[in-house]
Amino acid sequence: MNVYDTELISGILEESGFKKTSNIENADAIFLNTCSVREKAEETVFNRLNNLKSLKRKNPGLLFGVLGCMAQSMKNELLESKPFVDIILGPDSYRRIPEIIKERSKTNGSIVDTKLSKFEFYDNLFPSRKEGVNAWIPIMRGCDKFCTFCIVPFTRGRERSRTIESIVKESKKSVEQGFVEITLLGQNVNSYRTSEGNFSELLLDVSNIPGVLRVRYTSPHPADINENLLQVMRDKQNICNHIHLPLQAGSSRILKRMNRTYTKKEFLKLVEIIRTYLPNCALSTDIIVGFPGETEEEFKETLEVVEKVGFDSAFMFKYSPRRGTKASEYTDQIEEPVKQNRLERLIELQKKMSLLANQNHVGKIMDVMVEKESKKSEHQWAGRTDGNIWVVFDKTDENVKDIVKVKIDDTQGVTLFGHRIKLD
Ligand code: 5AD
Ligand code: SF4
């Protein structure tokens, strides 16, 4: 979502006459778009601000802006500890950036706007993107789920869904601009709901747009996955066979404390249903270790679920207390070395599972979309399978955006290696 928001902000600025510079030393304004989801993300922004401060000494007219979730959640700390920051704007205030830049040049002191809106969808504004095959299309913003560890409902505000019409319009425009893959985005993408239709209906409409070769979506909540959605995914070839299914924890007691609304058993059942509809569906996940009160036995349940499901890939995190969230007030916080140890054990297991999943693909012929030149060689392409796995193969006569058949010969780490197959 932040990648998209940055494209959107660039679009708003370019529309009002600003130009991007590739040399930061030449910039008249620098905006950092920030994330608050874990403490580490916030530390990165504070370090970055400290490093950028010297630029202001050289160019006193330089404007600094902090945008997004951290602006929302840490405005007071920012104002106090980083007085050289001129502009602080929350995730619903980007529309005002050009006006605020003008305002700021007339006044001294920082300008802060962190009002959250029930209505801001950034409709009719188009992001600035030029490269790649994929266009991100936000379909809903905010989250009402209130998982007890998560700051998103506080920084991004209440859930709101854009109209199908406006989403289809933006998707069509992206196709006209040359993008062939659409990724529907939302903090809670499948709780999308409007009077015109729900998520499955929207997905079907987007997959029916001529020129859309692939559709993805992220991130769904397991509780909002239903059979209707799986039917649509099964019936439409251009909807990618991949579901990001955040587990968060394997123990039902911890899941309850997280307010995740499903048990271990229900999660495993859902995986089974998904695999009945979509036998080859790739599954990825998010997992938190060391949530307050998590015992060694409960952590082992997470390992057990990871082993049972065999996720193709996973994002794994140590629990990080977030101010204002319920879990940060629990008195049984887990000590750092225990969290670190659990994270390392989980990563080790997941590495094995990813390798197993990838080894399963060796010998198969897979559809790969050519996306870019491989980083290692100008004679090779890198592209993704519809299950979201990167494949590297030697160039022949194909072009970027083509979907070609690749026979998988080998796997290393998370990447597959293969060669192009021409069937005719
Ligand atoms: N600590 C650690 N991980 C978190 N996530 C969200 N909040 C926290 C937190 N407080 C993780 C979840 C979520 C992903 C985007 O970030 O796994 O799915
Ligand atoms: Fe955070 Fe996702 Fe839970 Fe919403 S559903 S509170 S964004 S983890």
Side-chain angles (χ1 to χ4, degrees):
M1 189 59 109
N2 265 13
V3 173
Y4 173 82
D5 277 358
T6 301
E7 292 173 350
L8 179 76
I9 293 159
S10 303
I12 294 172
L13 286 168
E14 282 172 19
E15 185 71 11
S16 48
F18 291 88
K19 284 205 180 74
K20 221 180 257 178
T21 168
S22 53
N23 181 357
I24 200 161
E25 308 262 335
N26 295 339
D28 299 311
I30 298 174
F31 293 102
L32 296 187
N33 194 15
T34 62
C35 172
S36 271
V37 77
R38 286 172 297 277
E39 199 178 348
K40 215 169 156 196
E42 291 180 345
E43 275 167 19
T44 309
V45 172
F46 276 115
N47 291 340
R48 194 70 191 272
L49 279 171
N50 287 342
N51 293 342
L52 291 174
K53 204 165 100 183
S54 62
L55 291 174
K56 194 135 179 171
R57 257 177 254 131
K58 284 186 215 146
N59 174 8
L62 177 64
L63 278 186
F64 265 131
V66 174
L67 313 179
C69 287
M70 242 177 104
Q72 194 72 33
S73 66
M74 299 195 82
K75 54 178 173 276
N76 294 333
E77 284 88 340
L78 282 165
L79 284 170
E80 234 167 72
S81 73
K82 303 281 172 259
F84 55 93
V85 172
D86 306 281
I87 297 171
I88 297 179
L89 295 181
D92 287 344
S93 307
Y94 304 148
R95 222 178 250 281
R96 292 192 55 216
I97 292 182
E99 169 200 338
I100 283 176
I101 293 178
K102 269 195 212 129
E103 216 178 288
R104 179 60 182 79
S105 58
K106 284 187 233 134
T107 57
N108 267 323
S110 311
I111 296 183
V112 180
D113 183 350
T114 54
K115 276 191 290 299
L116 287 172
S117 153
K118 284 194 192 127
F119 309 104
E120 182 56 279
F121 301 114
Y122 297 109
D123 268 342
N124 302 321
L125 290 174
F126 290 100
S128 158
R129 58 169 92 92
K130 290 171 187 76
E131 286 168 10
V133 299
N134 176 66
W136 308 102
I137 312 277
I139 64 166
M140 54 85 68
R141 296 180 81 93
C143 178
D144 289 350
K145 290 274 197 287
F146 287 94
C147 301
T148 57
F149 53 79
C150 185
I151 202 169
V152 167
F154 303 98
T155 56
R156 293 255 171 186
R158 296 288 59 76
E159 230 172 80
R160 59 217 109 114
S161 297
R162 280 171 81 175
T163 61
I164 292 191
E165 190 194 343
S166 138
I167 295 164
V168 168
K169 186 170 147 200
E170 188 169 337
S171 306
K172 282 186 176 157
K173 180 156 174 173
S174 305
V175 172
E176 278 163 26
Q177 289 173 336
F179 295 93
V180 288
E181 180 180 275
I182 301 282
T183 303
L184 303 178
L185 277 183
Q187 267 83 35
N188 218 314
V189 74
N190 56 337
S191 71
Y192 175 90
R193 202 162 283 113
T194 64
S195 53
E196 307 158 279
N198 60 19
F199 182 63
S200 316
E201 286 154 317
L202 170 73
L203 194 60
L204 186 62
D205 283 356
V206 172
S207 70
N208 282 333
I209 297 172
V212 172
L213 302 186
R214 280 186 169 174
V215 189
R216 301 182 185 275
Y217 59 88
T218 198
S219 270
H221 190 293
D224 292 323
I225 292 197
N226 54 41
E227 300 200 23
N228 207 346
L229 171 62
L230 300 175
Q231 271 159 16
V232 171
M233 288 181 72
R234 183 189 57 196
D235 295 344
K236 294 294 301 185
Q237 286 311 303
N238 61 348
I239 302 177
C240 288
N241 233 344
H242 170 219
I243 300 181
H244 184 67
L245 200 66
L247 165 68
Q248 310 298 3
S251 140
S252 296
R253 188 186 77 94
I254 295 296
L255 286 167
K256 184 145 198 244
R257 270 195 128 193
M258 287 177 160
N259 191 29
R260 287 295 288 177
T261 72
Y262 51 85
T263 60
K264 167 164 86 173
K265 208 168 149 196
E266 284 162 347
F267 188 91
L268 289 170
K269 180 80 198 151
L270 178 62
V271 170
E272 214 180 291
I273 297 171
I274 291 172
R275 289 189 165 146
T276 315
Y277 278 92
L278 310 163
N280 298 318
C281 188
L283 292 177
S284 54
T285 196
D286 290 347
I287 299 173
I288 298 175
V289 300
F291 184 78
E294 184 190 63
T295 63
E296 172 65 18
E297 284 313 305
E298 286 166 336
F299 167 65
K300 282 191 179 141
E301 288 188 74
T302 298
L303 296 180
E304 178 202 328
V305 177
V306 166
E307 195 150 12
K308 264 198 183 139
V309 174
F311 294 107
D312 295 76
S313 62
F315 297 103
M316 296 160 280
F317 313 105
K318 286 185 274 189
Y319 169 71
S320 158
R322 307 282 64 213
R323 194 174 51 196
T325 60
K326 208 165 162 190
S328 68
E329 284 158 25
Y330 293 164
T331 50
D332 44 4
Q333 301 288 327
I334 304 289
E335 288 188 3
E336 177 59 28
V338 177
K339 289 194 224 176
Q340 184 61 31
N341 171 276
R342 289 182 188 169
L343 182 66
E344 285 168 17
R345 284 153 70 199
L346 177 63
I347 290 174
E348 198 177 317
L349 173 63
Q350 181 52 45
K351 250 194 195 161
K352 258 196 256 163
M353 303 311 295
S354 296
L355 187 65
L356 270 179
N358 278 351
Q359 279 167 345
N360 245 334
H361 296 308
V362 173
K364 280 191 198 153
I365 296 174
M366 301 181 93
D367 286 330
V368 176
M369 181 181 285
V370 182
E371 298 197 26
K372 56 188 180 192
E373 201 161 81
S374 143
K375 274 187 217 137
K376 296 229 171 91
S377 160
E378 59 181 293
H379 303 296
Q380 289 185 314
W381 291 120
R384 278 178 300 164
T385 65
D386 77 341
N388 209 25
I389 307 169
W390 283 97
V391 182
V392 171
F393 62 99
D394 285 348
K395 288 182 180 175
T396 58
D397 58 354
E398 56 287 304
N399 294 306
V400 169
K401 299 179 200 174
D402 288 348
I403 296 180
V404 295
K405 304 262 177 223
V406 175
K407 179 149 187 204
I408 308 302
D409 302 315
D410 192 14
T411 170
Q412 278 165 29
V414 290
T415 311
L416 299 173
F417 296 86
H419 62 276
R420 167 103 186 260
I421 295 275
K422 292 184 188 170
L423 293 176
D424 34 306

